[in-house]
Amino acid sequence: MPESESSPNTEASEAGGDLRDRLHAMEKRLSKLRDIRGQHNDNANRSAEQRNAVQNQYKEHRVKLDAKLAEVKEIRAAVKQHKERRNSIQSQMKELFGRQRSSRDNERKGRSVGAEYNKLSAEVRGIEERLETSGNIKLETENKMLKMVKDMQKRLAELEPELKAQELIKVDLDDIEGTIARMKQEADDAHNLMLEKVSEADEASKGMDEMFSHRDFLKAEGDRFHDAFVAEKEKANEIHEKAVELMKQVTEVKGLLKAEREERKSWIDDHNASVVAEMQTGAESDEVADELMKSLLEEGNLSIGGTLDSDSKEPAQKSKRKP
């Protein structure tokens, strides 16, 4: 075979070498991708651990902060309650001062809830006392008086909820000065209680700004670690997709190499079989034996023993020479 020509086996070998080089490069790249993917996953796991630790601290801090807020809220509710009572008493005191300065006509025009209640109560007691003690009241007059009492009692029932809501004191009209003094004392007491609760609220609120700042810091840190976790996971997924695609290519090249090996093996087997066939003798090859048999049959007579007629004489002569 000329040197310029190459056998199929040589060409297949060269092609196989290229595929093996390509496969080696791809497997090396695949290994590198797996390492990078592992690094991203490790970074993501570390970020997740840090995030979880910070979130646990955040939850613990929120419990303390919520308890502190509830404490301050309760104190401020007490401040509001004392303040409302003080304002209510002071408002009634102003009404009583105005009653002292006003005339009866002005009193009827601008009667307060407490004043109206006490006046009606006094009138009801007076009418009831008259009905019980007087024996010369006509039936018609008595019915009118009873109707007046009934109407006054209805009005008193309407005023009762207002008195309770406004925490008005049912004053004794015969002792306005003493009532005003008592109300002033109660207003002062409510004001002092309010100031005490304000101081208590201020004391309880100390450090609240720092607690809020620390809460916001922990929240921001948790979000930061979570964002880092998500970013690393996304990178790992991107690398994983590339690795999967490269694995498909590796599998494809391995398939080509396998097909090439099978083709080369088939070529070698066929070549070896051809060489063996060419080197076989007539006794070893049925085809060669058949050709020889055909030639003998065409050129001479073949006896049953497998010899020609001309072959039978020579052995006989040789046998006579023997002693």
Side-chain angles (χ1 to χ4, degrees):
M1 181 182 295
E3 294 181 358
S4 60
E5 296 182 2
S6 59
S7 66
N9 189 26
T10 303
E11 294 177 356
S13 177
E14 292 176 354
D18 292 340
L19 285 175
R20 281 190 292 272
D21 292 341
R22 182 182 171 190
L23 178 62
H24 178 72
M26 286 193 298
E27 288 178 338
K28 186 176 181 181
R29 183 184 172 197
L30 181 61
S31 176
K32 185 177 181 180
L33 288 176
R34 286 170 174 167
D35 290 341
I36 296 174
R37 181 185 62 186
Q39 292 174 4
H40 287 308
N41 282 328
D42 290 342
N43 292 336
N45 292 334
R46 282 192 294 270
S47 295
E49 291 175 358
Q50 292 172 309
R51 177 201 61 193
N52 295 340
V54 171
Q55 287 180 344
N56 288 335
Q57 295 178 26
Y58 176 82
K59 291 177 182 178
E60 294 175 358
H61 184 73
R62 255 323 269 275
V63 172
K64 296 177 182 178
L65 181 59
D66 289 344
K68 198 68 175 176
L69 286 172
E71 178 186 354
V72 173
K73 184 178 180 180
E74 183 179 357
I75 297 172
R76 295 196 181 282
V79 170
K80 182 179 179 181
Q81 181 180 0
H82 293 310
K83 182 179 180 180
E84 289 176 350
R85 175 168 174 76
R86 180 203 64 185
N87 294 342
S88 177
I89 295 173
Q90 289 177 342
S91 177
Q92 189 177 8
M93 287 172 60
K94 290 178 181 179
E95 291 179 1
L96 290 176
F97 281 124
R99 179 180 175 83
Q100 284 183 320
R101 293 191 300 266
S102 64
S103 63
R104 289 184 179 272
D105 293 337
N106 291 333
E107 180 184 325
R108 289 173 184 173
K109 293 178 182 179
R111 189 175 294 127
S112 67
V113 174
E116 183 181 356
Y117 184 91
N118 288 300
K119 182 174 177 57
L120 286 174
S121 297
E123 290 178 357
V124 168
R125 286 195 301 270
I127 294 173
E128 289 178 343
E129 184 178 353
R130 182 179 175 188
L131 289 171
E132 290 176 359
T133 58
S134 178
N136 57 357
I137 300 176
K138 294 181 180 181
L139 181 60
E140 183 180 355
T141 303
E142 183 178 350
N143 290 335
K144 288 182 180 180
M145 295 173 68
L146 289 173
K147 186 178 182 305
M148 289 175 62
V149 170
K150 184 177 180 181
D151 292 340
M152 291 178 181
Q153 289 176 340
K154 182 179 179 181
R155 178 58 181 164
L156 288 172
E158 293 174 353
L159 293 174
E160 282 285 354
E162 295 184 35
L163 287 173
K164 185 176 181 180
Q166 300 179 19
E167 294 187 332
L168 297 175
I169 301 174
K170 300 175 184 179
V171 299
D172 184 358
L173 295 179
D174 295 333
D175 188 18
I176 295 179
E177 294 292 339
T179 301
I180 290 175
R182 180 164 56 87
M183 293 171 66
K184 184 178 183 304
Q185 183 60 49
E186 292 184 6
D188 291 342
D189 292 343
H191 180 71
N192 292 331
L193 289 174
M194 182 195 72
L195 293 179
E196 290 179 5
K197 289 298 180 180
V198 168
S199 298
E200 187 177 345
D202 291 340
E203 185 66 25
S205 298
K206 287 182 178 179
M208 290 290 290
D209 291 340
E210 294 180 2
M211 294 184 73
F212 279 117
S213 297
H214 190 57
R215 179 202 62 181
D216 296 340
F217 168 76
L218 292 175
K219 177 68 167 57
E221 281 294 282
D223 292 342
R224 184 172 68 85
F225 285 126
H226 179 70
D227 292 341
F229 164 78
V230 172
E232 290 295 332
K233 273 297 182 183
E234 289 177 351
K235 293 177 181 178
N237 291 336
E238 291 177 1
I239 297 299
H240 178 72
E241 291 176 0
K242 292 180 181 179
V244 170
E245 184 63 28
L246 187 57
M247 276 295 299
K248 293 179 182 178
Q249 298 177 21
V250 168
T251 302
E252 183 180 352
V253 172
K254 286 183 177 180
L256 293 175
L257 283 172
K258 181 180 179 182
E260 181 190 292
R261 285 195 298 270
E262 291 176 352
E263 181 181 358
R264 186 166 61 251
K265 182 177 181 300
S266 176
W267 184 88
I268 292 173
D269 291 343
D270 292 343
H271 177 72
N272 290 338
S274 176
V275 171
V276 170
E278 291 178 359
M279 295 178 64
Q280 285 180 338
T281 62
E284 295 172 340
S285 174
D286 293 337
E287 294 180 0
V288 174
D290 291 340
E291 288 294 329
L292 290 174
M293 182 65 70
K294 182 179 178 182
S295 177
L296 290 172
L297 289 173
E298 291 177 351
E299 295 178 359
N301 295 327
L302 183 66
S303 65
I304 295 175
T307 59
L308 297 174
D309 292 340
S310 59
D311 294 336
S312 60
K313 296 178 181 180
E314 186 176 349
Q317 292 174 358
K318 291 180 180 180
S319 59
K320 291 180 180 180
R321 295 191 186 105
K322 293 182 180 180

Short mmCIF file of all heavy atoms in Angstrom, two decimals, residues 165-200:
data_model
loop_
_atom_site.label_atom_id
_atom_site.label_comp_id
_atom_site.label_asym_id
_atom_site.label_seq_id
_atom_site.Cartn_x
_atom_site.Cartn_y
_atom_site.Cartn_z
N ALA A 165 -71.32 59.06 82.73
CA ALA A 165 -70.32 59.21 81.68
C ALA A 165 -69.39 60.39 81.94
O ALA A 165 -68.20 60.34 81.69
CB ALA A 165 -71.00 59.37 80.32
N GLN A 166 -69.95 61.47 82.44
CA GLN A 166 -69.16 62.68 82.69
C GLN A 166 -68.56 62.71 84.09
O GLN A 166 -67.86 63.65 84.45
CB GLN A 166 -70.02 63.92 82.46
CG GLN A 166 -70.58 64.04 81.06
CD GLN A 166 -71.45 65.28 80.87
OE1 GLN A 166 -71.37 66.22 81.65
NE2 GLN A 166 -72.30 65.25 79.86
N GLU A 167 -68.85 61.70 84.88
CA GLU A 167 -68.37 61.60 86.26
C GLU A 167 -68.72 62.89 87.04
O GLU A 167 -67.90 63.45 87.78
CB GLU A 167 -66.86 61.37 86.30
CG GLU A 167 -66.48 60.02 85.73
CD GLU A 167 -65.01 59.71 85.92
OE1 GLU A 167 -64.24 60.68 85.97
OE2 GLU A 167 -64.66 58.54 86.05
N LEU A 168 -69.96 63.33 86.81
CA LEU A 168 -70.42 64.53 87.54
C LEU A 168 -70.83 64.16 88.95
O LEU A 168 -71.33 63.05 89.20
CB LEU A 168 -71.61 65.15 86.81
CG LEU A 168 -71.33 65.66 85.38
CD1 LEU A 168 -72.61 66.15 84.72
CD2 LEU A 168 -70.31 66.77 85.43
N ILE A 169 -70.58 65.04 89.83
CA ILE A 169 -70.90 64.82 91.23
C ILE A 169 -72.27 65.44 91.53
O ILE A 169 -72.53 66.60 91.19
CB ILE A 169 -69.84 65.45 92.15
CG1 ILE A 169 -68.48 64.83 91.84
CG2 ILE A 169 -70.21 65.28 93.62
CD1 ILE A 169 -67.35 65.50 92.58
N LYS A 170 -73.13 64.65 92.13
CA LYS A 170 -74.46 65.15 92.51
C LYS A 170 -74.30 66.05 93.74
O LYS A 170 -74.12 65.57 94.86
CB LYS A 170 -75.40 63.98 92.81
CG LYS A 170 -75.61 63.05 91.64
CD LYS A 170 -76.44 61.85 92.02
CE LYS A 170 -76.57 60.88 90.86
NZ LYS A 170 -77.35 59.67 91.19
N VAL A 171 -74.34 67.31 93.47
CA VAL A 171 -74.02 68.26 94.53
C VAL A 171 -75.26 68.58 95.38
O VAL A 171 -76.40 68.45 94.92
CB VAL A 171 -73.45 69.57 93.93
CG1 VAL A 171 -72.19 69.28 93.17
CG2 VAL A 171 -74.48 70.25 93.03
N ASP A 172 -74.97 68.97 96.54
CA ASP A 172 -76.01 69.44 97.46
C ASP A 172 -76.15 70.95 97.26
O ASP A 172 -75.23 71.72 97.54
CB ASP A 172 -75.62 69.11 98.90
CG ASP A 172 -76.72 69.50 99.88
OD1 ASP A 172 -77.76 70.04 99.43
OD2 ASP A 172 -76.53 69.26 101.08
N LEU A 173 -77.29 71.36 96.73
CA LEU A 173 -77.47 72.78 96.42
C LEU A 173 -77.39 73.66 97.66
O LEU A 173 -77.16 74.86 97.56
CB LEU A 173 -78.82 72.98 95.74
CG LEU A 173 -78.96 72.30 94.35
CD1 LEU A 173 -80.35 72.56 93.78
CD2 LEU A 173 -77.91 72.81 93.40
N ASP A 174 -77.58 73.07 98.82
CA ASP A 174 -77.51 73.86 100.05
C ASP A 174 -76.07 74.07 100.52
O ASP A 174 -75.84 74.84 101.47
CB ASP A 174 -78.30 73.17 101.17
CG ASP A 174 -79.79 73.11 100.84
OD1 ASP A 174 -80.25 74.00 100.09
OD2 ASP A 174 -80.45 72.15 101.29
N ASP A 175 -75.05 73.36 99.88
CA ASP A 175 -73.66 73.49 100.30
C ASP A 175 -72.75 73.56 99.09
O ASP A 175 -71.89 72.71 98.86
CB ASP A 175 -73.28 72.31 101.20
CG ASP A 175 -71.90 72.50 101.83
OD1 ASP A 175 -71.40 73.64 101.83
OD2 ASP A 175 -71.30 71.50 102.27
N ILE A 176 -72.95 74.60 98.27
CA ILE A 176 -72.17 74.74 97.04
C ILE A 176 -70.70 74.99 97.35
O ILE A 176 -69.81 74.42 96.71
CB ILE A 176 -72.74 75.89 96.18
CG1 ILE A 176 -74.15 75.53 95.71
CG2 ILE A 176 -71.84 76.15 94.98
CD1 ILE A 176 -74.81 76.61 94.89
N GLU A 177 -70.40 75.81 98.37
CA GLU A 177 -69.01 76.12 98.70
C GLU A 177 -68.25 74.87 99.11
O GLU A 177 -67.12 74.62 98.66
CB GLU A 177 -68.97 77.15 99.83
CG GLU A 177 -69.50 78.53 99.45
CD GLU A 177 -68.61 79.21 98.44
OE1 GLU A 177 -67.41 78.84 98.34
OE2 GLU A 177 -69.08 80.11 97.73
N GLY A 178 -68.87 74.06 99.95
CA GLY A 178 -68.21 72.81 100.39
C GLY A 178 -68.04 71.84 99.24
O GLY A 178 -67.02 71.13 99.15
N THR A 179 -69.05 71.80 98.36
CA THR A 179 -68.95 70.91 97.19
C THR A 179 -67.82 71.33 96.28
O THR A 179 -67.04 70.50 95.79
CB THR A 179 -70.27 70.92 96.41
OG1 THR A 179 -71.32 70.48 97.28
CG2 THR A 179 -70.18 69.99 95.22
N ILE A 180 -67.67 72.65 96.07
CA ILE A 180 -66.60 73.14 95.21
C ILE A 180 -65.24 72.80 95.81
O ILE A 180 -64.31 72.38 95.10
CB ILE A 180 -66.74 74.66 95.01
CG1 ILE A 180 -67.97 74.97 94.13
CG2 ILE A 180 -65.48 75.23 94.35
CD1 ILE A 180 -68.25 76.44 93.97
N ALA A 181 -65.10 72.94 97.11
CA ALA A 181 -63.83 72.62 97.77
C ALA A 181 -63.50 71.13 97.62
O ALA A 181 -62.33 70.75 97.36
CB ALA A 181 -63.89 73.02 99.23
N ARG A 182 -64.53 70.30 97.79
CA ARG A 182 -64.30 68.85 97.66
C ARG A 182 -63.93 68.49 96.21
O ARG A 182 -63.05 67.66 95.98
CB ARG A 182 -65.56 68.11 98.09
CG ARG A 182 -65.45 66.59 97.99
CD ARG A 182 -66.57 65.92 98.78
NE ARG A 182 -67.87 66.38 98.36
CZ ARG A 182 -68.56 65.83 97.33
NH1 ARG A 182 -68.03 64.84 96.66
NH2 ARG A 182 -69.75 66.28 97.03
N MET A 183 -64.61 69.10 95.27
CA MET A 183 -64.31 68.83 93.86
C MET A 183 -62.91 69.29 93.49
O MET A 183 -62.21 68.63 92.71
CB MET A 183 -65.35 69.52 92.97
CG MET A 183 -66.76 68.93 93.11
SD MET A 183 -68.01 69.90 92.25
CE MET A 183 -67.48 69.68 90.57
N LYS A 184 -62.47 70.41 94.05
CA LYS A 184 -61.12 70.90 93.77
C LYS A 184 -60.08 69.91 94.27
O LYS A 184 -59.06 69.65 93.60
CB LYS A 184 -60.91 72.26 94.40
CG LYS A 184 -59.54 72.89 94.07
CD LYS A 184 -59.41 74.26 94.68
CE LYS A 184 -58.07 74.91 94.26
NZ LYS A 184 -56.91 74.08 94.59
N GLN A 185 -60.31 69.38 95.45
CA GLN A 185 -59.39 68.40 95.99
C GLN A 185 -59.34 67.15 95.11
O GLN A 185 -58.26 66.61 94.84
CB GLN A 185 -59.81 68.01 97.41
CG GLN A 185 -58.86 67.04 98.11
CD GLN A 185 -57.45 67.60 98.25
OE1 GLN A 185 -57.28 68.75 98.70
NE2 GLN A 185 -56.43 66.83 97.86
N GLU A 186 -60.50 66.71 94.65
CA GLU A 186 -60.54 65.54 93.79
C GLU A 186 -59.85 65.81 92.46
O GLU A 186 -59.15 64.94 91.91
CB GLU A 186 -61.98 65.10 93.56
CG GLU A 186 -62.64 64.55 94.82
CD GLU A 186 -64.04 64.03 94.54
OE1 GLU A 186 -64.43 64.00 93.34
OE2 GLU A 186 -64.74 63.66 95.48
N ALA A 187 -60.02 67.03 91.94
CA ALA A 187 -59.35 67.39 90.68
C ALA A 187 -57.83 67.42 90.87
O ALA A 187 -57.07 66.96 90.00
CB ALA A 187 -59.86 68.73 90.18
N ASP A 188 -57.38 67.96 92.02
CA ASP A 188 -55.94 67.99 92.31
C ASP A 188 -55.38 66.57 92.43
O ASP A 188 -54.27 66.28 91.95
CB ASP A 188 -55.67 68.78 93.59
CG ASP A 188 -55.94 70.28 93.41
OD1 ASP A 188 -55.99 70.72 92.24
OD2 ASP A 188 -56.10 70.97 94.42
N ASP A 189 -56.15 65.70 93.12
CA ASP A 189 -55.70 64.31 93.27
C ASP A 189 -55.56 63.63 91.90
O ASP A 189 -54.58 62.93 91.64
CB ASP A 189 -56.68 63.54 94.15
CG ASP A 189 -56.65 64.02 95.61
OD1 ASP A 189 -55.67 64.69 95.98
OD2 ASP A 189 -57.61 63.73 96.35
N ALA A 190 -56.56 63.85 91.04
CA ALA A 190 -56.52 63.25 89.71
C ALA A 190 -55.34 63.80 88.92
O ALA A 190 -54.65 63.06 88.18
CB ALA A 190 -57.82 63.51 88.97
N HIS A 191 -55.07 65.08 89.07
CA HIS A 191 -53.95 65.69 88.35
C HIS A 191 -52.62 65.14 88.85
O HIS A 191 -51.72 64.83 88.04
CB HIS A 191 -53.98 67.21 88.55
CG HIS A 191 -52.88 67.93 87.87
ND1 HIS A 191 -52.81 68.07 86.49
CD2 HIS A 191 -51.75 68.54 88.37
CE1 HIS A 191 -51.72 68.73 86.17
NE2 HIS A 191 -51.06 69.04 87.29
N ASN A 192 -52.46 64.98 90.16
CA ASN A 192 -51.22 64.42 90.72
C ASN A 192 -51.01 62.97 90.28
O ASN A 192 -49.88 62.57 89.96
CB ASN A 192 -51.24 64.52 92.24
CG ASN A 192 -51.16 65.96 92.71
OD1 ASN A 192 -50.58 66.83 92.04
ND2 ASN A 192 -51.73 66.24 93.88
N LEU A 193 -52.10 62.20 90.27
CA LEU A 193 -51.99 60.81 89.79
C LEU A 193 -51.59 60.78 88.32
O LEU A 193 -50.80 59.92 87.90
CB LEU A 193 -53.33 60.08 89.99
CG LEU A 193 -53.70 59.76 91.44
CD1 LEU A 193 -55.12 59.18 91.50
CD2 LEU A 193 -52.71 58.75 92.05
N MET A 194 -52.13 61.72 87.56
CA MET A 194 -51.77 61.79 86.15
C MET A 194 -50.27 62.09 85.99
O MET A 194 -49.58 61.47 85.17
CB MET A 194 -52.59 62.87 85.46
CG MET A 194 -52.33 62.99 83.96
SD MET A 194 -52.95 64.52 83.25
CE MET A 194 -51.77 65.71 83.94
N LEU A 195 -49.74 63.04 86.78
CA LEU A 195 -48.33 63.39 86.70
C LEU A 195 -47.44 62.22 87.10
O LEU A 195 -46.38 61.99 86.49
CB LEU A 195 -48.04 64.60 87.59
CG LEU A 195 -48.68 65.93 87.17
CD1 LEU A 195 -48.32 67.03 88.16
CD2 LEU A 195 -48.25 66.31 85.76
N GLU A 196 -47.88 61.47 88.10
CA GLU A 196 -47.11 60.29 88.52
C GLU A 196 -47.03 59.26 87.37
O GLU A 196 -45.97 58.67 87.11
CB GLU A 196 -47.75 59.65 89.74
CG GLU A 196 -47.61 60.49 91.01
CD GLU A 196 -48.29 59.83 92.20
OE1 GLU A 196 -48.77 58.68 92.04
OE2 GLU A 196 -48.34 60.45 93.28
N LYS A 197 -48.16 59.06 86.72
CA LYS A 197 -48.19 58.09 85.62
C LYS A 197 -47.38 58.60 84.41
O LYS A 197 -46.76 57.80 83.70
CB LYS A 197 -49.63 57.81 85.20
CG LYS A 197 -50.41 56.98 86.20
CD LYS A 197 -49.77 55.61 86.37
CE LYS A 197 -50.52 54.75 87.36
NZ LYS A 197 -49.88 53.41 87.51
N VAL A 198 -47.38 59.92 84.21
CA VAL A 198 -46.57 60.47 83.12
C VAL A 198 -45.08 60.20 83.38
O VAL A 198 -44.33 59.80 82.48
CB VAL A 198 -46.82 61.99 82.98
CG1 VAL A 198 -45.78 62.62 82.06
CG2 VAL A 198 -48.22 62.25 82.42
N SER A 199 -44.65 60.44 84.65
CA SER A 199 -43.25 60.16 85.00
C SER A 199 -42.93 58.68 84.85
O SER A 199 -41.85 58.30 84.36
CB SER A 199 -42.98 60.61 86.44
OG SER A 199 -43.18 62.00 86.58
N GLU A 200 -43.89 57.84 85.26
CA GLU A 200 -43.69 56.39 85.14
C GLU A 200 -43.58 55.97 83.67
O GLU A 200 -42.75 55.13 83.31
CB GLU A 200 -44.85 55.66 85.81
CG GLU A 200 -44.68 54.16 85.90
CD GLU A 200 -45.82 53.48 86.63
OE1 GLU A 200 -46.60 54.20 87.31
OE2 GLU A 200 -45.93 52.24 86.53
#
